[in-house]
Amino acid sequence: MNNIRARIKKLYREDYELVYEEVARLIEEEKIAGDKKFVDEKDIMLITYGDSIKKEGEAPLTTLLKFVSDEATDTVSAIHLLPMFPFTSDDGFSVVDYYEINKELGDWSDINKLAVKYDLMFDAVINHISQSSEWFKKFLACEEKYKNYFIDADPSLDYSSVTRPRALPLLTPFETREGKKYLWTTFSEDQIDLNYKSKDLLLEILRILICYAKRGARYIRLDAIGFAWKKLGTTCMHLEETHELIKLFRDVIDECVPGTMIITETNVPHVDNISYFGNGYDEASMVYQFPLPPLTLFSFITSDATKLMNWLSTVENISDKTTYFNFLASHDGIGMRPVEDILNNEEKQLMVDNTIKKGGRIGYKANGDGTKSPYELNINYRDAIINEDEDDDTKVNKFLASQAILLSIAGMPGIYIHSLLGSGNWTEGMEQSGINRRINREQLDYNTIIDNLKTDYVKSNIFDGYKKLIKTRKSNSAFHPLAKQEVVKTDKRLFNIIRYNEETEEKIEVIINVSNETICIDLDNEGIDILTGNKISKSCQVKPYEVLWIKVQ
């Protein structure tokens, strides 16, 4: 509890004793016994909306449980449920009520059923809240408690240094009972930023996080958390106060529901991103590995893994209680900020051109000087990787090769539902809604999926191939998230690493061809490819888009 007191003192100097007493009382009321193990090679997370799969006459959460249990048995161990609460915009990320389940998805009993079979990750969308929320309505009515829940700003001041993720106004005017007020709205006018300088708000948020952990959240994802603390004259990103706030969340959750893992979602360059590990024990348990999606895509566009390998050689384990949350596709676009210091302008433009050519769109961010730059590529990951003029076998092998990179590297993999199912661009949804990100958020009919997995060559082979990769990974300790990782630089067209588990002494050499050419290389050791059972000699041929997981003898 000393850490909690110290953090509160840093954040709430004048009232820190009062705030500490309230937090201590909350912990005493909510504390439960128990603990949970750290993640290992068997932990695989499926990322999905609660209604990504729908069946007529059935609650989508029930359909999701049925699909994963029946069709992906012994594959995923955890499910990340993207925001499942009532919302008004941004496909769930403008939450109206943090404690209620969106009735169109199901209810808490459906969440409980999922939690019996799978570890769950809940989204804590706590940088902002919907303007239709009770909190905001009470703010507009100028109820005393809620007056400080939001950030009342002076529009005449200079906000040019503030980091802007979208090309939209930072401040939005609202009429309150006391007159017009300009409020901080980082993401949209329907997503009103919360004011963590309010001790009352802090206690509300702590109650929400504890509730999620007790309701079955093995993992809690802090959405857009890098923006949480605001201080005029700064970028308002990665502030010391933000880090202290996350550490406070971690300390309180550790006291109340031990073993719950905090994951920070900060779509920023690598150095800033890994700062959310803190000292390896006091902040995030996992951070999103944001450079991985664009660098993997870049490797397949150029048939050159050099940039990816060079970056990966700088990635290190932080502690025995932290690891990376690796992903390639998600409900969002492919972020470009994480490669700002890795790819040059021509290389980034190549990715932009590839996206537009394949039917995608580009999301832009506003720079402080009035210009805009690419913030994310809005495109389905499969369609970003493959080319339409390629034959079906090449499409399958190429896409699975990209996903094998995700499953090979140090950390815990998160697999987006549309990647597992081999889905493509949902152009209709994007165009009808006018929301670029909808291109990768299609709601799929359960019966159509089952039919596709039997009759659609590309989708069925991606699904079966993906499951084979996952099951193989889960049975080999060299893929433990904390197992050593060594980058091997051979041919630029090859992704080549060695994973080694010191405890079990198991070693696997990973070789993945990111090109359409056959490559001959000489290996230091012979071994067995655990995907096929074939013996691999020291003189090795790697076929186009082939994946080799060689267990070294």
Side-chain angles (χ1 to χ4, degrees):
M1 295 293 289
N2 287 338
N3 283 342
I4 292 175
R5 181 189 292 273
R7 299 197 199 292
I8 290 173
K9 188 173 183 179
K10 283 185 180 180
L11 293 171
Y12 306 96
R13 292 178 179 84
E14 293 180 4
D15 300 325
Y16 86 91
E17 283 289 1
L18 178 61
V19 178
Y20 174 74
E21 287 174 10
E22 292 286 344
V23 172
R25 188 178 302 116
L26 177 64
I27 291 170
E28 188 62 32
E29 292 171 355
E30 300 289 351
K31 192 170 187 175
I32 62 174
D35 201 353
K36 300 171 184 176
K37 67 176 181 61
F38 193 65
V39 294
D40 62 23
E41 67 276 4
K42 295 178 175 60
D43 286 294
I44 311 284
M45 188 174 292
L46 180 69
I47 305 168
T48 181
Y49 280 101
D51 57 1
S52 290
I53 302 176
K54 302 182 76 171
K55 188 175 183 180
E56 189 174 349
E58 189 170 79
L61 290 173
T62 299
T63 306
L64 175 64
L65 176 59
K66 176 179 172 58
F67 177 81
V68 179
S69 299
D70 292 351
E71 305 298 329
T73 307
D74 299 326
T75 303
V76 300
S77 64
I79 298 175
H80 172 198
L81 289 167
L82 289 156
M84 54 203 185
F85 314 104
F87 69 97
T88 49
S89 62
D90 201 15
D91 287 344
F93 286 88
S94 183
V95 176
V96 173
D97 189 331
Y98 292 115
Y99 290 103
E100 292 296 321
I101 301 299
N102 181 356
K103 290 180 174 60
E104 294 182 7
L105 302 180
D107 55 33
W108 276 112
S109 69
D110 296 303
I111 300 296
N112 295 340
K113 290 171 186 174
L114 280 164
V116 169
K117 296 192 69 172
Y118 301 97
D119 289 332
L120 299 180
M121 179 152 83
F122 292 2
D123 258 293
V125 189
I126 54 173
N127 176 72
H128 47 259
I129 195 170
S130 168
Q131 62 171 279
S132 297
S133 65
E134 286 301 312
W135 292 2
F136 191 64
K137 290 176 182 177
K138 290 176 180 179
F139 169 84
L140 295 178
C142 298
E143 291 190 23
E144 193 63 34
K145 176 182 175 182
Y146 297 90
K147 281 186 175 182
N148 292 322
Y149 268 40
F150 305 96
I151 304 167
D152 187 1
D154 181 349
S156 68
L157 299 178
D158 180 10
Y159 296 88
S160 61
S161 61
V162 176
T163 298
R164 301 294 293 114
R166 297 180 185 173
L168 295 170
L170 177 65
L171 304 182
T172 303
F174 291 94
E175 287 295 336
T176 77
R177 184 169 292 177
E178 295 176 349
K180 182 181 289 186
K181 294 186 178 182
Y182 287 82
L183 300 184
W184 205 293
T185 53
T186 297
F187 289 91
S188 79
E189 64 180 13
D190 187 41
Q191 294 165 296
I192 320 298
D193 285 46
L194 296 170
N195 180 19
Y196 281 94
K197 294 175 184 176
S198 164
K199 63 180 185 299
D200 290 324
L201 175 76
L202 172 72
L203 290 166
E204 290 267 22
I205 296 299
L206 289 176
R207 289 188 191 97
I208 289 165
L209 297 178
I210 293 166
C211 170
Y212 290 175
K214 294 176 78 170
R215 286 276 201 166
R218 169 77 169 90
Y219 312 89
I220 296 177
R221 175 185 184 268
L222 302 181
D223 176 69
I225 198 64
F227 297 90
W229 200 276
K230 313 299 193 294
K231 186 187 292 184
L232 202 57
T234 73
T235 63
C236 297
M237 281 288 285
H238 321 310
L239 299 185
E240 180 183 353
E241 291 89 346
T242 297
H243 286 285
E244 283 299 318
L245 187 66
I246 298 168
K247 290 173 182 178
L248 178 58
F249 292 161
R250 169 81 178 263
D251 288 340
V252 171
I253 292 294
D254 281 350
E255 288 286 339
C256 291
V257 193
T260 305
M261 299 182 74
I262 297 292
I263 302 181
T264 50
E265 187 267 338
T266 50
N267 190 356
V268 294
H270 185 68
V271 172
D272 294 323
N273 194 34
I274 63 174
S275 70
Y276 287 85
F277 279 132
N279 66 14
Y281 298 93
D282 65 349
E283 202 165 344
S285 305
M286 288 195 274
V287 300
Y288 272 70
Q289 193 63 290
F290 275 105
L292 183 62
L295 289 178
T296 299
L297 175 59
F298 183 77
S299 299
F300 283 88
I301 292 173
T302 61
S303 299
D304 185 346
T306 303
K307 295 282 187 177
L308 174 60
M309 299 293 283
N310 287 345
W311 163 74
L312 197 62
S313 66
T314 68
V315 175
E316 299 177 345
N317 285 340
I318 304 298
S319 76
D320 60 352
K321 293 296 182 183
T322 53
T323 193
Y324 298 94
F325 186 71
N326 299 320
F327 74 107
L328 290 178
S330 76
H331 61 290
D332 284 340
I334 302 165
M336 295 297 285
R337 281 212 67 204
V339 293
E340 284 178 352
D341 55 353
I342 300 175
L343 301 181
N344 61 37
N345 288 335
E346 290 78 12
E347 291 165 335
K348 284 182 276 193
Q349 187 61 45
L350 184 65
M351 297 184 72
V352 168
D353 294 342
N354 175 75
T355 299
I356 295 172
K357 176 184 176 182
K358 294 178 177 179
R361 302 276 176 86
I362 310 300
Y364 290 91
K365 73 179 182 72
N367 301 319
D369 58 2
T371 62
K372 296 189 297 184
S373 56
Y375 179 74
E376 65 178 12
L377 313 176
N378 298 120
I379 188 169
N380 170 278
Y381 207 84
R382 187 204 74 170
D383 283 359
I385 288 283
I386 66 173
N387 298 317
E388 275 305 309
D389 59 356
E390 293 167 336
D391 63 70
D392 285 350
D393 283 327
T394 299
K395 289 176 181 176
V396 171
N397 294 337
K398 189 176 185 181
F399 183 67
L400 287 177
S402 73
Q403 305 306 294
I405 290 175
L406 165 65
L407 295 174
S408 298
I409 65 174
M412 178 180 174
I415 301 165
Y416 192 41
I417 186 74
H418 288 293
S419 292
L420 184 65
L421 297 174
S423 303
N425 286 338
W426 190 33
T427 305
E428 180 184 358
M430 174 182 67
E431 291 178 345
Q432 287 182 354
S433 67
I435 300 171
N436 290 350
R437 287 175 169 180
R438 286 269 177 91
I439 197 169
N440 200 28
R441 296 178 179 179
E442 185 175 5
Q443 294 177 334
L444 303 170
D445 174 69
Y446 176 87
N447 292 325
T448 302
I449 292 172
I450 299 303
D451 183 62
N452 285 340
L453 296 182
K454 295 175 182 175
T455 61
D456 187 299
Y457 185 86
V458 172
K459 290 180 179 178
S460 63
N461 279 276
I462 285 175
F463 185 68
D464 291 341
Y466 217 141
K467 288 199 296 183
K468 180 180 179 181
L469 286 168
I470 292 170
K471 289 179 180 179
T472 305
R473 172 198 159 94
K474 290 174 71 173
S475 61
N476 289 273
S477 63
F479 290 123
H480 190 287
L482 299 180
K484 286 193 170 183
Q485 177 171 279
E486 176 189 348
V487 169
V488 181
K489 294 185 178 180
T490 49
D491 190 292
K492 70 178 184 179
R493 295 164 293 180
L494 296 179
F495 176 88
N496 191 181
I497 61 173
I498 292 174
R499 299 297 310 281
Y500 176 61
N501 189 314
E502 290 182 308
E503 290 187 9
T504 64
E505 298 186 342
E506 184 177 81
K507 180 185 289 187
I508 291 176
E509 182 162 4
V510 175
I511 302 175
I512 300 172
N513 191 345
V514 302
S515 78
N516 62 358
E517 301 172 302
T518 298
I519 302 166
C520 298
I521 60 169
D522 293 323
L523 303 177
D524 291 336
N525 299 285
E526 295 184 340
I528 301 294
D529 177 17
I530 58 177
L531 290 168
T532 62
N534 294 335
K535 183 176 180 180
I536 306 297
S537 63
K538 289 186 178 182
S539 180
C540 176
Q541 267 196 351
V542 191
K543 298 173 186 175
Y545 307 118
E546 184 173 19
V547 176
L548 296 175
W549 282 349
I550 305 167
K551 185 173 285 188
V552 177
Q553 302 298 302

